Amino acid sequence: MRLRDLGIGIGSLEPGVHNAITDVAGISVGHAQIAGRDAGVTAVVPYPTEVAERELFIGRWSADGGDNMTGLGVAEDFGTFSTPILLVPAPAVGRTYEALIAYGLDRDTGLSTDAGWPPIVVGLDDTRANSAAWTYGAFEQEHVAKALAQATSGAVAEGNAGIGGGLQAFGYKGGVGTASRRVGQYTVGALVAANGGATGDLSVDRYPVGVQLPAGRGEGPQDFAAILATDAPLMPRQLERLASRGGVGLARVGLWGPLTRTGLVLAFSTRGMFPDGGSEAFEPIRPQAADSSSIEVSEPMRPVGEEALFALFAGAAEAAEEAVLNALLQATATGAMKILPQGAWPEAVRAFQKRAP
Amino acid sequence: MSRRSDIGRRAFLGLGLGAAALPLLGYAGRLGAAPVVKKRVRLRELGIAIGKLETGAHNAITDVEGVRVGHLTLIKGEGPLVVGEGPVRTGVTAILPHGGDLTREPVFAADFTLNGNGELTGMGPVRRTGLLGAPLLFTNTSSVGAAYDGALGWMLERNPDLFAGSLQPEPVVGETWGAFLHDTTGRHVKPEHAVAAIDAAASGPVAEGCVGGGTPMRAYSFKAGIGTASRRVPCGERTYAVGVLVQANFGRRPQLLVDGVPVGREIPDLTPERGKTKSMLVAVATDAPLLPVQLQRLCKRVPLGMARTGAISTQGSGDLILAFSTAQKMGLAKPLAMLPNRYISAMYQGVVEATEEAILNSLTMAETMVGRDGNTIHALPLDRLVEVMRVYGRLK
């Protein structure tokens, strides 16, 4: 069940068709489980695999200044990336990196600035469900290949899917969730690996749900990762700002709190602002089509001004918050991790939203 | 399921250490047209000294007490490139801040990116906490994942609670691109090679040139690789050590300067047929009690040492620098010490000099190497280097 199935939405903007990060054209998401257990990886593929190579702009926001993330040098210094983004258990980072190098080499033995390098791998703490030693032993590069091969646009599996299998949030079963918002002519989507947070901090559209719930498991991971995507032609600094608004949404729902150890939000734009065909000429930047086989060179891209940017910020915060709640509601109980009790809170939230729209 | 294969560590170690100590005997016959292979020596042994500060006992990063360096070198095959088979010209260089319990007794650290087209994993915990609790590994571009995987296994074996603590250190793995000589696509470095490099880490003299991660690398269109140097830095009543280790893979020939002398313009020949190199990985160690904020300032002086050898940092460069201080483990267990900032300029002097000399040592110690498809990178001819320095009046 997703949040909107309870008659509850977050914020005022309209979601996209699937209310998922895949509402941003060209993006696909794939999951793979490890050895049939509640463990796995999730891949966000930023452009169709038929596209040989594409550099996209990226921005990063970090709750605590440092996260388990590879590919940092290029992402931070150039503000670009070109590989799938993999969310994996921390002990699987090395093998995932290796798998993405293989994926890149399959596409281009040059391995220079293109589809294979540097891989962006985000490690998450799923040791509430899986010991580090087990994951280190059981994880195979094939899991990454499987997640990439299964990546699809359209509806996205949530809850225990992929990296969601081993996550815990607000003392209950966490997981993967997604949501999106339409902002004028653009779309912004979020995919969150909900991991961490304290039961009492859970809040739904500003209504304090957590304090009314029985306390879940007190200890556990305190790291989360979120990916924001948009088709608005944002530059790296603008994407950093967008990412920070993802953090605002995550704070509002209570996932980002005082005890958060690593909280990472990556924001990227699918509108590659790099001239097609390697033209050296100085010409206005034109948008690239999502599908390389039908590049339409249209009007030069106009920069997104501050006003439109702030509308996107609102969408990013709303989508990130709703994605967390979708993760919780879609998750299923595993081992010692129970699902978030429903009880009376949905009705209370609906009543609250009527009183304070 | 263990990730370890059956490949014996000892076999690789033997190969690695042998390669570090000997010229490439297997290629002696193929070097006929190249300059005669002569004994390679360090810059100072040629009568060329950089800067004004004294070096440590070994003029190496290991002059910082406790610091250990190990190489695992993989050299195999010759002839045309066959992906997955070779020729293999690669390896791993491991730097350990100390010989103790690294993951439970981390040291202060900071990093700096001069140009970001590279990889240095594990910067999350370093930036978050200012602490380094992992080995530092240098290898080639396609082997980052394998080296990370091996190092993480090594860490988990020693500390099964690695992910239960608040630090959660991650392996620090950096890379440069060595495809001109090496079958990069074949990804020959396996996790156990990283472990072997870590296990081989020792204090004392450090093998330089075509060893470990530096095996296929080149600088200023000469063969290069690993280089190291150190300085003793007087700070009031105390003298601290600062040491630098580089994996040098950058620079165009005309740029090369040695102690200010335009050696690259004086020796324009012996360039490889093609290819460019760009990147520089640097580890800086000191026993001065520097806090992370000071270590980051120290990192920023490394590019000044690089610039004194002539290179600029290019679009394709992954010029990534990590500095750590061995003075304090964990930092919080005892009252914190901090080098007064009035001494930090002296530390800067030390790190700039040591960086310049480490890069030049990587050049003077590296042997000519033939790799895939017969691709050859020539060593800097030391007799000609000495002659140029003599003409410019810069020999001691």
Side-chain angles (χ1 to χ4, degrees):
Chain A
M1 181 181 295
R2 308 187 79 195
L3 186 69
R4 281 173 194 261
D5 297 330
L6 295 172
I8 301 170
I10 299 295
S12 55
L13 294 163
E14 284 298 313
V17 175
H18 300 287
N19 194 15
I21 194 170
T22 46
D23 289 329
V24 179
I27 294 180
S28 56
V29 174
H31 303 292
Q33 306 302 124
I34 305 171
R37 291 223 337 207
D38 286 307
V41 300
T42 295
V44 175
V45 185
Y47 49 81
T49 47
E50 314 86 76
V51 177
E53 68 178 71
R54 178 176 296 168
E55 253 178 317
L56 300 177
F57 281 141
I58 190 167
R60 167 177 160 267
W61 172 87
S62 172
D64 230 0
D67 320 281
N68 188 332
M69 171 189 168
T70 70
L72 186 63
V74 170
E76 203 169 54
D77 192 28
F78 296 4
T80 64
F81 79 114
S82 46
T83 78
I85 300 173
L86 266 289
L87 304 176
V88 307
V93 169
R95 246 161 272 155
T96 304
Y97 198 101
E98 183 84 340
L100 282 173
I101 289 284
Y103 170 84
L105 287 170
D106 281 348
R107 302 183 65 163
D108 176 5
T109 51
L111 195 71
S112 48
T113 58
D114 32 49
W117 197 83
I120 294 189
V121 184
V122 178
L124 285 150
D125 179 4
D126 76 339
T127 53
R128 203 69 169 131
N130 305 297
S131 76
W134 179 81
T135 304
Y136 190 73
F139 187 77
E140 303 282 351
Q141 291 182 43
E142 286 68 38
H143 296 121
V144 178
K146 195 173 165 196
L148 289 169
Q150 293 183 349
T152 54
S153 53
V156 174
E158 295 172 297
N160 295 22
I163 183 64
L167 305 185
Q168 173 182 299
F170 303 99
Y172 293 97
K173 184 72 193 71
V176 179
T178 187
S180 73
R181 291 294 183 271
R182 296 280 309 154
V183 183
Q185 60 179 310
Y186 303 123
T187 301
V188 57
L191 182 137
V192 180
N195 201 35
T199 308
D201 288 342
L202 178 64
S203 168
V204 178
D205 199 17
R206 295 161 292 146
Y207 183 82
V209 168
V211 290
Q212 301 170 35
L213 294 175
R217 299 174 93 196
E219 298 192 350
Q222 285 298 340
D223 61 0
F224 61 78
I227 297 166
L228 296 176
T230 182
D231 53 5
L234 301 188
M235 292 178 282
R237 181 72 193 103
Q238 294 175 312
L239 288 163
E240 279 179 25
R241 295 168 69 194
L242 190 75
S244 81
R245 272 33 175 226
V248 169
L250 299 176
R252 235 160 32 195
V253 73
L255 187 65
W256 176 30
L259 300 181
T260 295
R261 181 175 50 219
T262 68
L264 172 67
V265 184
L266 296 171
F268 69 86
S269 166
T270 57
R271 306 300 280 272
M273 298 182 72
F274 298 87
D276 186 62
S279 166
E280 293 293 322
F282 289 93
E283 52 181 342
I285 294 170
R286 296 171 193 281
Q288 291 184 349
D291 175 357
S292 66
S293 62
S294 63
I295 287 178
E296 299 160 23
V297 177
S298 54
E299 290 299 299
M301 198 113 59
R302 293 184 189 284
V304 174
E306 285 292 303
E307 260 182 48
L309 194 57
F310 276 87
L312 287 164
F313 289 170
E318 287 186 15
E321 179 175 355
E322 190 163 321
V324 171
L325 296 164
N326 283 337
L328 288 168
L329 290 166
Q330 293 275 57
T332 52
T334 60
M337 284 191 275
K338 296 176 186 149
I339 58 166
L340 183 77
Q342 281 206 11
W345 69 260
E347 179 50 40
V349 170
R350 286 191 293 266
F352 173 77
Q353 287 182 323
K354 270 181 206 150
R355 284 201 309 279
Chain B
M1 268 178 289
S2 168
R3 300 299 310 174
R4 298 275 160 75
S5 82
D6 295 324
I7 304 171
R9 281 183 206 170
R10 192 175 298 271
F12 281 101
L13 267 175
L15 175 59
L17 296 173
L22 298 168
L24 293 173
L25 297 175
Y27 292 95
R30 304 196 61 201
L31 292 173
V36 179
V37 175
K38 292 179 185 167
K39 183 180 183 311
R40 305 301 290 177
V41 297
R42 308 185 78 197
L43 191 71
R44 275 178 192 258
E45 295 172 66
L46 299 171
I48 304 165
I50 300 298
K52 60 178 189 178
L53 293 169
E54 282 179 30
T55 70
H58 301 292
N59 193 16
I61 195 171
T62 47
D63 289 329
V64 178
E65 196 181 333
V67 174
R68 286 150 165 76
V69 176
H71 301 298
L72 182 287
T73 307
L74 295 172
I75 296 175
K76 194 181 74 179
E78 55 186 287
L81 172 70
V82 180
V83 171
E85 291 182 22
V88 179
R89 303 284 185 276
T90 188
V92 181
T93 293
I95 302 148
L96 311 187
H98 58 77
D101 191 346
L102 275 184
T103 63
R104 295 186 183 88
E105 296 176 356
V107 296
F108 282 137
D111 78 297
F112 176 67
T113 300
L114 177 61
N115 195 79
N117 199 38
E119 180 69 87
L120 192 62
T121 69
M123 286 305 98
V126 169
R127 292 191 183 176
R128 193 166 68 239
T129 63
L131 293 166
L132 171 67
L136 173 57
L137 304 178
F138 291 169
T139 185
N140 80 81
T141 304
S142 65
S143 300
V144 170
Y148 186 109
D149 204 28
L152 184 66
W154 183 87
M155 291 161 72
L156 274 172
E157 207 169 278
R158 277 149 192 81
N159 183 2
D161 298 327
L162 192 66
F163 290 92
S166 59
L167 177 63
Q168 302 211 343
E170 298 155 27
V172 178
V173 185
E175 54 67 47
T176 58
W177 178 244
F180 184 65
L181 296 181
H182 172 57
D183 170 24
T184 296
T185 308
R187 287 181 292 145
H188 295 273
V189 172
K190 304 300 174 198
E192 51 269 29
H193 297 137
V195 174
I198 295 170
D199 287 345
S203 50
V206 174
E208 293 168 295
C210 312
V211 293
T215 300
M217 304 307 167
R218 68 196 219 186
Y220 300 103
S221 311
F222 284 125
K223 190 70 194 70
I226 301 294
T228 187
S230 75
R231 290 295 183 269
R232 292 178 52 75
V233 181
C235 298
E237 293 170 356
R238 301 283 302 272
T239 298
Y240 294 110
V242 60
V244 170
L245 185 143
V246 302
Q247 179 165 306
N249 196 44
F250 62 88
R252 310 279 180 269
R253 176 64 60 79
Q255 297 170 332
L256 175 61
L257 302 174
V258 176
D259 199 18
V261 174
V263 169
R265 278 180 277 162
E266 296 288 353
I267 312 179
D269 54 323
L270 297 176
T271 53
E273 308 88 80
R274 60 190 164 77
K276 290 176 181 174
T277 56
K278 302 144 182 173
S279 299
M280 172 182 75
L281 290 172
V282 184
V284 179
T286 182
D287 56 5
L290 299 186
L291 300 188
V293 67
Q294 295 175 306
L295 287 163
Q296 190 171 42
R297 297 174 66 198
L298 203 61
C299 283
K300 290 175 182 167
R301 270 62 192 184
V302 164
L304 302 181
M306 175 205 205
R308 282 158 54 138
T309 67
I312 64 162
S313 188
T314 65
Q315 157 67 20
S317 299
D319 296 333
L320 309 178
I321 300 146
L322 181 82
F324 60 86
S325 164
T326 59
Q328 301 173 94
K329 290 174 185 168
M330 278 303 288
L332 302 177
K334 285 189 277 186
L336 212 52
M338 171 183 170
L339 185 78
N341 274 337
R342 64 178 175 277
Y343 296 128
I344 207 153
S345 301
M347 297 299 299
Y348 290 171
Q349 182 70 35
V351 82
V352 171
E353 288 185 14
T355 302
E356 183 179 358
E357 190 162 329
I359 292 165
L360 296 172
N361 278 336
S362 82
L363 286 165
T364 64
M365 288 297 289
E367 307 275 351
T368 294
M369 183 177 271
V370 181
R372 55 170 277 201
D373 303 323
N375 288 348
T376 303
I377 303 175
H378 296 287
L380 169 63
L382 299 183
D383 47 354
R384 292 173 67 184
L385 169 64
V386 168
E387 178 58 17
V388 171
M389 298 304 282
R390 193 189 60 73
V391 167
Y392 278 79
R394 299 297 266 279
L395 278 191
K396 258 187 178 171

